Amino acid sequence: MSLLNASAAALKRGLASSAPRTYNRGLKVLAVLYKGGEAAKQEPRLLGTIENQLGIRSWLESQGHEFIVTDDKEGPNSVFQQHLKDAEILITTPFHPGYLTRDLVEKAKNLKLCVTAGVGSDHIDLNAAVEKKIQVLEVTGSNVVSVAEHVVMDILLLVRNFVPAHEQITRGDWQVSDVARNAYDLEGKVVGTIGAGRIGYRVLERLVPFNTKELLYYDYNPLPAEAEAKVGARRVEDLKEFVSQCDVVTVNAPLHEGTRNLINADLLQHFKKGAWLVNTARGAICNAEDVAAAVKSGQLNGYAGDVWNVQPAPKEHPWRYMQNPLGGGNGMTPHYSGTTLDAQARYAAGTRQIIENYLQGKPQEPANVIVGVGKYETKAYGQR
Ligand code: NAD
């Protein structure tokens, strides 16, 4: 397909920004990344940091573009908000999110393309992006294996009561019964995922060899019959019924209007007493206070994940300190499951490819397009 035809086809699908650009120098590209400090100086593969800049600075500058990189993202005087006013391309990551609110979308008069270096674009007001015809793309699939592996780890560390057992060792203690009293096998348990997309399905695949009693999923997009059969998963259409059947619930859906605060005190009452909950999707899908109270009371035997409703999480966040009545049940970490060095290589390369396509007027990979020109292209951010 010629470049012209490719662009015409993409335009028809609403995916590309415009016909091939004849003028593509001198754009302002703004990136909000996290500060890597000494670690990033010592480890150049930490590509998602302000120090290593996704490895794209020299490439962008060699083409005459301006590249502003910052971790300073809060408030009207932040570098993010100052440069947003005339940036054409904004790169953000879910790990240190530059929150592109409706208000900021209004002020970003020149903005045409938002690229999420990673997966999950809820930090952008997607409805506002649709209205303002700002495209939002992510590097779909770039870290789904990384997260699925983390989910399996979190499930195991909760069910097997790993964290208090390890802490006992580093404290210099040895009291097997203190930790064995709340340790179980995953075999024979019912595990369910809210969201059975790329990550949720990979979690199900990875759980097959554990001989669980049953694998369940809750998703308004049903899996193809062959995919269900391959992992032996059963779909449950009612959420309360779904959680009431699970020993372990894992959340693998994007954050949108339909999932914000989905797991709250009301729904938690329908969980099996002593169930485990793992959430590596987005913190705000779970109500922070309600989850902490459920862990404290023993309604949940534990909660693990790496995503928080505010990032970085404040020191006083209840998820840092919550424990079940037996002194365990907390498997929280900072947001890093999707930013392994392997994942960073993939999302850095994917970010460059998306920008290259944009600059050259080439069609984008359809799976990467969350918001195309003036409309949602994904079915994963709620039923519309
Ligand atoms: P995906 O689009 O492949 O799958 C998401 C699935 O969730 C879809 O099948 C969709 O239908 C389903 N879904 C949406 N709303 C739902 C609802 N209300 N109830 C039930 N199911 C619902 O996305 P993915 O690649 O699997 O990623 C899922 C999410 O995981 C991302 O949006 C992101 O928020 C999060 N994530 C976290 C990390 C991390 O580092 N912790 C990394 C990558 C992705």
Side-chain angles (χ1 to χ4, degrees), residues 95 119-120 122 143-144 147 194-200 218-221 252-254 256 258-259 280-282 306-307 335 337-338 379-381:
F95 311 105
V119 174
D122 50 276
N143 53 18
V144 294
V147 180
I194 297 178
R198 293 175 184 86
I199 296 173
Y218 171 80
D219 195 320
Y220 56 78
N221 284 314
N252 298 294
H256 54 78
T259 54
T280 54
R282 284 295 175 261
D306 66 328
V307 286
H335 190 167
S337 70
K379 292 195 176 79
Y381 279 75

Side-chain angles (χ1 to χ4, degrees), residues 55 62 82 107 114 232 254 297 355:
S62 71
Q82 285 302 314
K107 292 180 181 146
C114 294
S297 74
I355 294 174

Side-chain angles (χ1 to χ4, degrees), residues 9 24 103 146 162 186 232 275 280 284 292 306 312 315 326 340 358 372:
N24 65 5
D103 184 43
S146 324
F162 174 82
L186 185 55
T280 54
D306 66 328
K315 284 232 160 48
L326 296 176
T340 59
Y358 174 81

